[in-house]
Amino acid sequence: MIELLYAISTLVFVVAGLTMVGMAMRAYVQTSRRALLHLSVGFSLAIAGAAATMISAFINNFEGVRSLLLVNSGLTTFGYLFVMYSLVTYE
């Protein structure tokens, strides 16, 4: 049961994140502001971390939790750094 909830919440996060990436890319195409490109890269990294963690968790039967958390935390952190950079450099 908990695995199903984890999968559903991760999929909702991925869908919402991809929606934000699409919106940021559309805004970048319309305005050519590099900050929006950095914003979409940041969200993409956060999504990649969540998706990779979920896929790896189910493939490895939820073993190696420390490695999974390291990958998730690392990609999410770099993603948020890109998001913060996009906010700081927005013109």
Side-chain angles (χ1 to χ4, degrees):
M1 180 65 176
I2 192 74
E3 292 88 356
L4 179 63
L5 290 174
Y6 172 62
I8 290 171
S9 65
T10 301
L11 291 174
V12 168
F13 176 74
V14 167
V15 169
L18 289 175
T19 302
M20 290 188 287
V21 169
M23 295 169 85
M25 286 305 296
R26 185 176 345 145
Y28 171 71
V29 168
Q30 292 173 350
T31 64
S32 298
R33 292 186 181 206
R34 293 184 62 99
L36 294 169
L37 185 62
H38 294 121
L39 184 68
S40 65
V41 168
F43 284 131
S44 297
L45 286 171
I47 295 165
T53 301
M54 183 188 72
I55 292 167
S56 296
F58 280 102
I59 288 174
N60 296 320
N61 201 22
F62 290 89
E63 293 184 14
V65 174
R66 289 182 180 160
S67 299
L68 294 175
L69 291 175
L70 179 64
V71 169
N72 187 12
S73 296
L75 287 173
T76 303
T77 300
F78 282 119
Y80 287 148
L81 287 174
F82 270 95
V83 171
M84 288 172 29
Y85 182 73
S86 74
L87 295 172
V88 170
T89 61
Y90 188 76
E91 301 157 0

